[in-house]
């Protein structure tokens, strides 16, 4: 059994449902904003509910920012957590583009189609490329989304979803995995995805 699984306390996220989902899989997990504990973890979750500029500021103040960039073990960014892997984001209280973690050389942008309801809330289909994250998960399986910003399709995209246009519903770069949807709120398929990540 894997030990030293940590959920990053970003100061903005509602992480109780993620912790419960991991516990239900039989794993112990802690929630921390201590940079040493984050550095020494074997698996790391960067959850996401909140504002990008606020979370980046919080992580820098807690000395977490550089720890995430230099992290060598598997890490899963969820929703905002995935978006923070980009080089910059349009999500800011002041409306300007802010620099994020710069793990992947892509920008996180606002859903701009005025014909669509924003945020994108609810269940939607995910088409994947059979990455290990989606082992035993059917093509087109539905996952639960809540977001106003997207990461466009890019070379690190491992699954896509359509909402007015196709966007990256998950990405992978080296040890960095990201999902735009919320696996902890996505029933059996979400649980399986979390398990797949923990077994990477």
């Amino acid at each position: 059994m894997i030990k030293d699984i940590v959920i990053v306390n970003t100061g903005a996220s509602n992480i109780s449902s993620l912790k419960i989902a991991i516990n239900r899989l039989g794993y112990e997990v802690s929630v921390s904003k201590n940079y040493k504990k984050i550095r020494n973890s074997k698996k790391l979750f960067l959850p996401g509910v909140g504002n990008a500029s606020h979370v980046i500021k919080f992580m820098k103040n807690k000395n977490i920012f550089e720890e995430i960039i230099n992290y060598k073990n598997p890490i899963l960014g969820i929703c905002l957590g995935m978006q923070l892997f980009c080089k910059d984001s349009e999500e800011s209280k002041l409306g300007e583009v802010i620099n994020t973690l710069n793990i992947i050389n892509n920008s996180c942008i606002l859903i701009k189609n005025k014909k669509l309801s924003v945020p994108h809330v609810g269940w939607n289909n995910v088409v994947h490329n059979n990455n290990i994250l989606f082992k035993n998960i059917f093509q087109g399986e539905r996952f639960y989304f809540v977001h106003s910003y997207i990461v466009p399709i890019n070379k690190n995209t491992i699954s896509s979803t359509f909402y007015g246009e196709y966007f990256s519903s998950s990405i992978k770069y080296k040890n960095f995995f990201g999902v735009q949807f919320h696996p902890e709120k996505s029933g059996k398929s979400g649980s399986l995805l979390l398990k797949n990540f923990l077994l990477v």
Side-chain angles (χ1 to χ4, degrees):
M1 180 63 69
I2 302 168
K3 295 183 179 180
D4 300 320
I5 302 171
V6 174
I7 299 172
V8 180
N9 181 350
T10 58
S13 300
N14 177 11
I15 57 179
S16 59
S17 58
L18 177 59
K19 186 175 187 297
I20 290 169
I22 296 169
N23 289 154
R24 284 177 177 169
L25 292 170
Y27 294 88
E28 294 183 5
V29 58
S30 60
V31 178
S32 182
K33 55 188 176 183
N34 181 288
Y35 70 93
K36 291 183 179 179
K37 189 165 187 177
I38 289 169
R39 178 191 302 166
N40 294 324
S41 64
K42 301 303 182 186
K43 293 286 172 68
L44 192 61
F45 290 85
L46 183 63
V49 175
N51 178 273
S53 57
H54 170 81
V55 172
I56 290 294
K57 182 178 180 180
F58 179 88
M59 290 197 298
K60 287 182 176 179
N61 288 341
K62 298 296 181 181
N63 297 315
I64 298 172
F65 187 83
E66 293 295 332
E67 295 297 337
I68 300 297
I69 292 174
N70 296 316
Y71 193 73
K72 301 303 181 184
N73 292 322
I75 175 173
L76 179 64
I78 297 174
C79 198
L80 174 60
M82 174 182 124
Q83 295 170 359
L84 294 178
F85 291 162
C86 292
K87 64 178 181 179
D88 53 46
S89 175
E90 291 182 347
E91 184 175 3
S92 168
K93 289 180 179 180
L94 300 177
E96 78 276 17
V97 173
I98 62 163
N99 294 326
T100 44
L101 290 164
N102 197 27
I103 303 300
I104 64 170
N105 188 31
N106 296 93
S107 298
C108 177
I109 62 174
L110 178 67
I111 298 173
K112 295 182 172 67
N113 190 329
K114 295 182 179 180
K115 296 180 180 180
L116 301 175
S117 296
V118 179
H120 169 212
V121 179
W123 297 83
N124 207 335
N125 302 94
V126 170
V127 178
H128 61 80
N129 69 355
N130 296 310
N131 181 272
I132 187 69
L133 203 61
F134 291 94
K135 183 179 179 180
N136 296 323
I137 295 177
F138 293 118
Q139 281 290 356
E141 188 61 87
R142 290 163 66 82
F143 289 83
Y144 189 78
F145 291 81
V146 183
H147 63 112
S148 299
Y149 296 80
I150 59 172
V151 179
I153 301 293
N154 62 81
K155 65 181 181 180
N156 302 299
T157 299
I158 58 173
S159 78
S160 61
T161 294
F162 186 81
Y163 189 66
E165 62 181 307
Y166 284 99
F167 64 89
S168 299
S169 47
S170 63
I171 61 170
K172 180 186 181 297
Y173 175 74
K174 296 184 178 180
N175 57 307
F176 290 83
F177 295 81
V179 292
Q180 184 60 71
F181 49 83
H182 287 270
E184 75 279 11
K185 298 180 180 179
S186 297
K188 292 182 179 179
S189 294
S191 294
L192 181 52
L193 184 139
L194 291 174
K195 183 178 181 179
N196 288 339
F197 170 73
L198 289 166
L199 292 174
V200 169

